[in-house]
Amino acid sequence: MADLVLDGLTKSFGETEVVHGIDLSVAENEFVVLVGPSGCGKSTTLRMVAGLEAITGGELRIGGRRVNERSPGERDVAMVFQNYALYPHLTVAQNIAFGLRRKRLPRAERNAAVQEIARLLQIEPLLDRRPRALSGGQRQRVAMGRAIIRDPQVFLFDEPLSNLDARLRVQMRLEIKRLHAAKPVTTLYVTHDQTEAMTMADRVVVMNAGRIEQVGPPLEIYRNPRTRFVAEFIGAPAVNLFDARLSAGAGDGLWIELADGTRLSVPGSRRAAYAGFAGRPVVFGLRPEDISIGSGDDPVAPVNMIEPMGVETLAYLGFGGTEACARLTGGHVPRRGDRVPLQLGLERMILIDPATDRVIGATSTET
Amino acid sequence: MIARAARRRTATPPPAGGGPVPARPLPWLLPVLLFVGLFYLWPIVDALRLAFTDASLLDRDAAFSTEAIGAMLGSPALGTVLRNTAIFTLGSVVGQILLGLAIALLVVRGERNGLRGMLVMRTLVLAAWVIPGIANGIIWQMLFSEAPFGAINSALRLAGLPPVAWLSDPGNAMMSAIIATVWQGTAYSMILLYAALRSIDDTLYEAAAVDAATPWERFRFITLPELRGALLVNAILIVIMTLNTFDVIISLTGGGPGRATEVLALFTYNTVFYNFDLAGGSVLSILLMAISLALAALVAAFLPRAGRR
């Protein structure tokens, strides 16, 4: 086991720099997820850690040792690929045992190790089959078995669940998490799926256009996004954003004026942070779960569309000059065409400076 | 009419992988049957017929006879010729596959690492294949020439080595014929194996790299098993092509010295066109076909079956 440090890693293909200086340290046994849209450099970053891409600049340290110049095999990392990359002509048992070749174990010991991994992953009945005869989920388990058995310093996952169907994805997500709890290893996991990132990570790294936007525990990223990109990327359904103006009222009062003329009072706890932006255009953000059905004197909005999800209902409301999504739970569910009063959880609002796309007053905890 | 056809189509679903089967397939198959029959089947049948005659090139009036079969199979030359054919085929096929594989691996590796000139390299290797066999024989005759201007011997002399009797020594002549054939035939194997190599999933090599596999292990556990089908198909095709080779040899050594490089195809040619023995030649060509078929069947037995690879 070891920690993993990415110190200003950059990657250029020819003249084009695609990864612009990634600084990240993954503590021993920590599960860190790199998440971002396709083309954001997350896979390239992972492949640099694996040694499959040459590092253009910066330093990569595993367990305190610089490994930039080491070949993938010398880095003592194991990797699980999106398409599993199982050796097609080897059986499941041989695939899993492949990583043990170097250790020159006696046959009995090697078989015992394979059996143990197979039991852990519940693939014992499959050991004599070839990858071709396995389902996607089974192949994924074999690929993980091949990685786990090596007992590596660092575990790398490159979108391992992307080729699975939705149900299996949820199941494997949980199993990987369970596996990590049972056998903790320093892990770097790449995905484009923010749900995967939120559910699995000790810490989430949101990447965009070759840069890290924000690093933090999932709930902190969710609650306190530092940029517009993070706010929009994390959370499903996405955060509601409204073009607005901040204006100073009587005393130290601050008002958010939406495009449709709605005026919302900024809660007292936020006034100090926002005061400097009075009189300026801003982007006002509120998560769907922070909009609920209110009572008498709350602002009223028409219900454009309803999506019942079972435990909750998504309501699309004409509000703030655009459409807002509200996540309604429990009792009264409005119908399409209703006009409902809205209660807004403004103490959890965010405000974005449209000039910089940064969230105003976000506390920068770490980079 | 159309309505009826449509109704029939809905009643019986078309077989997978094609449209509806026409009610009378024969007219549709007729052109290809005619072509295959005229240009492939008929010559075989005719050779078979001639083998049971006493036909000669000079005398077209042939009568039934099994004499030619006895004479050819009992011919003292046949043993030598078959042995030559075996050595020539084995040497050429192994040489072509190994060299073709080596060049294909080099080209693929070069391309993977962004080395320039790989297309030129592929084209150059392929150029050898485009040269007619006769021309190839003549080119190598000049290279192997034991006269003072012989290219290879001149080079050997420059390096301070003694000259080699490439074509005049019966022991060397077969080796020279194999070298000339391999040089020409390698391109075929190279292209076939190159295509197969390109279709191997790169992430297998990446997974192996992360698993600290040595280059030999990568070759042994990924490349070779993934190439198995292509190698076997390639082997069948070049075994048959090599068995039928006579153009390179006739222009390079003419089968000599003595019978040192006389292979079955050349022996057949000589029997017909030097001895005018049409019946004997027919016997030999049937024999050649039988050997080709047997070898092809043997290799095909090792081909990966669909669903079981």
Side-chain angles (χ1 to χ4, degrees), chain A residues 82-330:
Chain A
Q82 180 175 355
N83 67 354
Y84 324 127
L86 300 176
Y87 308 119
H89 65 288
L90 298 182
T91 63
V92 167
Q94 288 168 330
N95 261 289
I96 293 176
F98 193 81
L100 290 181
R101 298 170 338 283
R102 286 280 161 280
K103 302 204 169 156
R104 306 239 174 271
L105 295 177
R107 179 181 290 266
E109 217 170 300
R110 197 177 56 207
N111 288 348
V114 171
Q115 283 292 342
E116 189 200 321
I117 296 292
R119 195 160 45 243
L120 189 67
L121 294 165
Q122 298 164 11
I123 49 174
E124 286 163 292
L126 308 177
L127 283 176
D128 293 327
R129 293 210 204 156
R130 285 180 204 256
R132 207 170 297 272
L134 302 181
S135 70
Q138 291 167 336
R139 287 181 200 189
Q140 189 57 72
R141 283 166 210 250
V142 178
M144 287 199 307
R146 184 176 66 183
I148 294 169
I149 201 166
R150 283 185 38 207
D151 198 14
Q153 304 261 36
V154 177
F155 226 157
L156 306 172
F157 289 90
D158 190 8
E159 308 223 7
L161 306 184
S162 302
N163 287 4
L164 301 179
D165 64 51
R167 206 176 60 88
L168 207 52
R169 196 146 60 213
V170 174
Q171 186 190 336
M172 288 304 291
R173 197 166 81 195
L174 198 61
E175 275 185 38
I176 294 177
K177 204 173 174 180
R178 203 168 274 156
L179 214 56
H180 186 259
K183 270 182 159 271
V185 183
T186 311
T187 302
L188 196 56
Y189 183 110
V190 160
T191 179
H192 63 266
D193 179 349
Q194 58 91 24
T195 316
E196 251 170 74
M198 290 290 291
T199 53
M200 300 175 81
D202 292 331
R203 275 190 308 154
V204 175
V205 179
V206 184
M207 282 186 69
N208 181 31
R211 288 197 173 77
I212 291 181
E213 291 269 333
Q214 189 170 358
V215 181
L219 285 179
E220 187 195 303
I221 296 250
Y222 187 75
R223 281 289 163 217
N224 301 312
R226 279 176 44 213
T227 63
R228 177 177 184 145
F229 177 83
V230 175
E232 285 189 293
F233 191 79
I234 300 290
V239 66
N240 297 300
L241 295 179
F242 308 88
D243 288 329
R245 251 193 115 67
L246 202 62
S247 61
D252 57 355
L254 271 179
W255 293 88
I256 299 161
E257 291 173 11
L258 301 183
D260 66 350
T262 311
R263 282 164 58 91
L264 304 169
S265 172
V266 174
S269 58
R270 301 293 184 95
R271 279 179 200 154
Y274 295 164
F277 284 82
R280 305 236 308 248
V282 289
V283 174
F284 162 67
L286 205 55
R287 297 235 177 242
E289 65 270 28
D290 295 330
I291 303 178
S292 53
I293 294 184
S295 51
D297 48 353
D298 288 321
V300 174
V303 178
N304 295 339
M305 197 58 80
I306 289 285
E307 280 186 337
M309 311 284 284
V311 67
E312 63 191 18
T313 300
L314 301 181
Y316 295 87
L317 311 156
F319 179 71
T322 173
E323 194 169 69
C325 176
R327 200 170 192 164
L328 308 175
T329 50

Side-chain angles (χ1 to χ4, degrees), chain B residues 160-250:
Chain B
L161 296 169
V164 176
W166 293 103
L167 299 174
S168 62
D169 182 317
N172 289 344
M174 181 56 88
M175 182 181 72
S176 305
I178 291 175
I179 290 175
T181 309
V182 167
W183 181 78
Q184 186 181 25
T186 290
Y188 186 82
S189 301
M190 190 275 283
I191 288 296
L192 217 142
L193 297 175
Y194 167 80
L197 280 173
R198 286 295 299 263
S199 70
I200 298 177
D201 184 359
D202 265 349
T203 56
L204 288 181
Y205 291 106
E206 291 180 347
V210 173
D211 281 341
T214 59
W216 164 248
E217 283 171 331
R218 263 174 263 172
F219 182 72
R220 159 84 183 68
F221 290 110
I222 300 172
T223 310
L224 218 47
E226 291 285 291
L227 280 186
R228 185 162 164 250
L231 280 169
L232 283 167
V233 167
N234 183 28
I236 293 183
L237 292 173
I238 62 177
V239 159
I240 292 174
M241 287 195 290
T242 310
L243 268 176
N244 287 295
T245 300
F246 88 108
D247 46 5
V248 180
I249 294 182
I250 202 173

